[in-house]
């Protein structure tokens, strides 16, 4: 069983092509990435991108403007099917691997992750940022 980190994309993005870890500029994304790199140094880190699906943190992305938050349910299910196919191609098994998910519900609701933790589960954006700050501070102690 592998440890996989899934971080939701952010609305704030670079205006040019860049690796996913640098492309997303949102505070929540940046904090989730920093925490994941420190807390799970051996884990594989991926982004759940509304446009690209599942992307490696090192994958170079081009600018786009899309979110799952206002996407119809059928389109979100189709997006999840694409992500599951990308997981399979990457050797990731949603039924056996363990996932730590830093993404809104619409980004993981149709993935069927059997073993997952959601450190920000159910929190609003403001409370999510507070929780991420707390988690980062705990690592520094």
């Amino acid at each position: 069983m592998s440890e996989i980190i899934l971080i939701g994309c952010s609305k704030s993005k670079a205006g040019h092509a860049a690796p996913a870890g640098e492309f997303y500029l949102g505070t929540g994304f940046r904090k989730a990435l920093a925490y994941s790199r420190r807390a799970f140094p051996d884990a594989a880190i991926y982004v759940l991108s509304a446009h690209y699906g599942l992307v490696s943190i090192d994958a170079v992305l081009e600018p786009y403007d899309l979110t799952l938050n206002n996407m119809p349910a059928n389109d979100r299910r189709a997006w999840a099917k694409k992500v599951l196919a990308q997981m399979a191609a990457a050797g990731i098994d949603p039924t056996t691997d363990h996932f730590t998910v830093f993404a809104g519900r619409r980004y993981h609701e149709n993935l069927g992750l059997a073993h997952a933790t959601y450190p920000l589960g159910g929190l609003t954006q403001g409370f999510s940022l507070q929780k991420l700050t707390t988690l980062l501070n705990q690592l520094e102690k």
Side-chain angles (χ1 to χ4, degrees), residues 94-118:
T95 64
T96 60
D97 288 330
H98 182 267
F99 297 84
T100 300
V101 183
F102 297 94
R105 179 181 51 82
R106 293 193 175 193
Y107 284 80
H108 62 77
E109 66 186 346
N110 295 307
L111 296 179
L113 305 176
H115 307 282
T117 56
Y118 303 90

Side-chain angles (χ1 to χ4, degrees), residues 50 66-77 79 106:
L66 185 66
T67 179
L68 296 188
N69 292 330
N70 56 13
M71 194 178 282
N74 277 347
D75 292 344
R76 291 195 313 271
R77 284 190 289 276
W79 175 87
R106 293 193 175 193

